[in-house]
DNA sequence: GTATATCCGACTATTTCAGTCAACTTTAGA
DNA sequence: TCTAAAGTTGACTGAAATAGTCGGATATAC
């Protein structure tokens, strides 16, 4: 079982997508800027999210990604799953053949832990998350920082180099 | 966050220790035979469990390890912790400085997940586990296999090589 | 003093993570 | 039609962790 940056980034990016859904497709560049995730890495993650049927892409200028379902129909467990981070705590992938074809001493324990985690993540949808006030305020902060960055670029003479 | 063989082995070994506690110190060789864990690897794990204050060692022939507390006073979370497998799901180790010193969009989500997992593992003691019938029957099976193995060795002419 | 045990440090093959880089295709708009 | 913005794909990489192995040292019951 593991939950690393990969799975966390995937959920963060999907949440960003859900939050900014009303203004058309969202480019990975925008997500990268707001969430501080490298563009190249986002490309990898979204390839998996697309294969997993969670997002749809729009190519060309003005393009980006959209959720392929309503945010109320996508739960966190699916997102983590799509990027191949298994929340399964057993060694045998629930088969019960962990030790010489039989259950190991702790098989049931890890099975129960897996069920706990899955129930928790499966019960939370993107729609529910974007209702939360701490997430709304974090998103607002990120949006204003992004706007400031754009303003700064526009108002500055381009004297790079 | 990760739960791998290391943490699972640690809990399995501690459970084996708890089950066979009444017959004096348990050698790593016995645990290795019953649980199918390499002796050298067990040595590594028990070094950490000892440093973590969970077991005490008895050196010399007839020696081995004992639980340093009653099995009802040791919970699964402690064991996993002792071998350095963090069940913390946040990136920032709960500090809330995940993105440029501020909370990332998903900070609270992972905080809640961490709390769920910790509550679950903290609530289960070794004493509770060894009461469970599926664990008792697995342990019985392992014991009888171990006895058969000893019998086989004793009754066979040593014609190795 | 020898066999049985823990102790300890160094070593290693493999895998994954987290990310970079380069090249390619699609497409909106000037 | 040209160009720039976007997604698409595959190869690559440094660092870290996993899951061990190996050799030897130390302690101790008999």
């Amino acid at each position: 079982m593991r939950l690393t940056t990969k799975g966390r980034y995937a959920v963060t990016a999907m949440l960003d997508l859900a939050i900014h859904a009303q203004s058309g497709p969202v480019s990975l560049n925008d997500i990268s800027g707001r969430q501080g995730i490298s563009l190249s890495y986002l490309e990898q993650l979204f390839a998996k999210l697309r294969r997993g049927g969670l997002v749809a892409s729009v190519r060309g200028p003005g393009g980006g990604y959209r959720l392929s379902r309503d945010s109320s129909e996508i739960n966190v467990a699916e997102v983590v799953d799509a990027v191949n981070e298994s929340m399964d705590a057993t060694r045998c992938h629930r088969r019960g053949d962990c030790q010489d074809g039989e259950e190991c001493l702790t098989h049931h324990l890890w099975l129960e832990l897996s069920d706990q985690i899955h129930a928790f993540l499966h019960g939370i949808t993107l729609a529910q998350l974007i209702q939360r006030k701490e997430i709304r305020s974090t998103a607002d902060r990120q949006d204003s920082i992004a706007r400031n960055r754009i303003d700064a670029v526009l108002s500055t003479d381009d004297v790079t180099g």
Side-chain angles (χ1 to χ4, degrees), chain A:
Chain A
M1 181 178 74
R2 45 170 43 100
L3 175 69
T4 64
T5 302
K6 204 199 301 190
R8 284 189 291 253
Y9 278 177
V11 176
T12 301
M14 289 291 283
L15 210 47
D16 186 284
L17 216 55
I19 289 168
H20 300 90
Q22 71 285 356
S23 43
V26 181
S27 76
L28 295 189
N29 207 34
D30 286 358
I31 299 179
S32 170
R34 279 191 295 259
Q35 306 303 332
I37 308 172
S38 102
L39 176 60
S40 311
Y41 200 39
L42 277 175
E43 288 171 355
Q44 270 188 52
L45 297 179
F46 272 79
K48 295 187 177 192
L49 293 171
R50 193 166 55 90
R51 274 181 239 128
L54 294 176
V55 298
S57 64
V58 181
R59 298 177 75 152
Y65 287 91
R66 282 180 291 101
L67 297 181
S68 60
R69 278 175 266 154
D70 190 83
S71 63
S72 64
E73 310 255 307
I74 298 178
N75 65 62
V76 178
E78 290 177 282
V79 178
V80 174
D81 234 47
V83 293
N84 309 336
E85 290 219 299
S86 169
M87 289 285 100
D88 180 17
T90 65
R91 180 183 210 188
C92 57
H93 299 285
R94 310 183 71 92
R95 283 192 299 265
D97 55 357
C98 357
Q99 191 188 359
D100 306 326
E102 305 273 347
E103 288 174 4
C104 74
L105 207 51
T106 47
H107 178 71
H108 285 257
L109 175 66
W110 308 126
L111 215 52
E112 285 167 33
L113 174 61
S114 303
D115 290 344
Q116 283 266 331
I117 294 172
H118 187 263
F120 178 77
L121 295 180
H122 194 269
I124 301 178
T125 66
L126 297 182
Q128 284 167 18
L129 285 175
I130 62 180
Q131 297 301 323
R132 296 192 184 185
K133 64 177 190 303
E134 80 268 10
I135 287 183
R136 299 190 85 90
S137 72
T138 299
D140 287 348
R141 193 187 71 229
Q142 293 172 341
D143 284 346
S144 80
I145 291 173
R147 272 194 302 275
N148 287 342
R149 201 155 35 218
I150 291 168
D151 291 351
V153 168
L154 292 178
S155 67
T156 304
D157 295 344
D158 193 38
V159 287
T160 44

